[in-house]
Amino acid sequence: MDRTETLPADDAGIARAAALLREGRLVAFPTETVYGLGGDATDDRAVARIFEAKGRPRFNPLIVHLPGLEEAEVVAVFDHRARAVAGAFWPGPLTLVLPLREGAGISPLVTAGLPTVAIRVPAHPVARALLRAAGRPVAAPSANPSGRVSPTRAAHVLDGLAGRIAAVVDGGACAVGVESTILGLDGEPRLLRPGGIPAEALEAALGQPLTTGGSAAKPNAPGQLASHYAPGAMVRLNARAAETGEILVGFGPVKGDLTLSPGGDLVEAAANLFHILREADALAGPQGRIAFAPIPGHGLGRAINDRLSRAAAPRG
């Protein structure tokens, strides 16, 4: 088992991380959503190492992270809709699934052999500096063992992947706290995963409602597996009080052992979600149970409920 370096989020740390990526090694780095596990998206062996480190199913596609729209257009085919939403929400927590551009050089492991590619331009300044320094597309799923709770701090990355990856750039806590919204624009606009950009905002920008798409059996974007984001403890949803032996996670008026947001703020709840899920899991223990208070189903609440429903799904 190799030692995983913890690098500062300064010029020297970013230069070291970029050099490791160019060598085909894996580096975790902060984005505004969660920490990503980066590898050179044009290098088959580097991408294979991502799947190996995470224990991730090979049929599950990865998101390619790029520093700007100009670089994104080298990888994917944009139409007027894609340019419009990219102009409105990039850099930021939005992933677009678009037709893969011929000759883009992206490893087929990234796209799971599909004719589409998932791409995003992150807003986090450390991520943007690293992508520019690396000078190549970076495939980056969340930096955690597959199916487990996503990391929003460097310590979370090390908890799950220490010794399996070359380095983590410590850029502090992630501000958004849930993964990016995934919008499919390879046909009619489809919401493939709710996330950091509310679906209502995308519908307003596109001027039409979104359908939903994708499946757990044949995912065409990340985050569609039925059981995902799972802690060791079992999870119960929409609880207004704890049952015997449960750790209750509150929200708003429902008070608990822990709370996502005492004031019922969905932005605060999203930012706290994965960190609180880890805390509750530690308190509950491997044979314990966690109960979550009801979360409203609008705005960022849709993304929070999506993650919680997958955390509560039957385990395979």
Side-chain angles (χ1 to χ4, degrees), residues 70-169:
E70 181 179 351
E71 293 84 356
E73 295 223 39
V74 173
V75 171
V77 178
F78 281 68
D79 62 13
H80 69 281
R81 303 169 305 168
R83 289 193 184 93
V85 293
F89 299 107
W90 276 358
L94 173 67
T95 292
L96 298 179
V97 174
L98 299 172
L100 179 66
R101 187 175 293 282
E102 187 175 352
I106 299 297
S107 168
L109 287 173
V110 170
T111 62
L114 296 170
T116 54
V117 61
I119 56 175
R120 101 171 175 98
V121 175
H124 198 291
V126 174
R128 291 172 65 75
L130 177 59
L131 292 169
R132 293 204 180 280
R136 58 199 63 190
V138 173
S142 57
N144 57 288
S146 189
R148 295 300 178 184
V149 182
S150 297
T152 56
R153 291 162 171 75
H156 298 165
V157 177
L158 294 170
D159 284 346
L161 296 179
R164 299 191 203 177
I165 65 176
V168 57
V169 181

Side-chain angles (χ1 to χ4, degrees), residues 204-309:
L206 289 165
Q208 66 181 107
L210 300 177
T211 61
T212 56
S215 73
K218 292 187 68 177
N220 57 354
Q224 295 178 344
L225 299 181
S227 178
H228 204 47
Y229 316 107
M234 300 305 293
V235 174
R236 183 171 68 93
L237 304 181
N238 297 314
R240 295 190 179 276
E243 295 179 355
T244 302
E246 284 184 335
I247 298 298
L248 177 62
V249 178
F251 176 83
V254 178
K255 308 304 179 187
D257 304 286
L258 303 166
T259 184
L260 291 175
S261 172
D265 183 327
L266 289 172
V267 174
E268 181 182 25
N272 286 335
L273 176 61
F274 290 132
H275 185 64
I276 292 290
L277 189 51
R278 287 170 180 272
E279 276 195 66
D281 196 30
L283 289 172
Q287 304 304 316
R289 294 184 300 161
I290 306 167
F292 277 85
I295 305 295
H298 59 81
L300 283 177
R302 188 170 181 175
I304 295 167
N305 283 318
D306 173 78
R307 304 310 189 270
L308 289 177
S309 67

Side-chain angles (χ1 to χ4, degrees), residues 11-12 16 58 64 115 123 128 133 167 191 193 209 211 239 311:
D11 290 347
R16 170 65 176 157
R58 293 292 175 96
V64 178
R128 291 172 65 75
L191 180 68
R193 180 180 73 184
T211 61

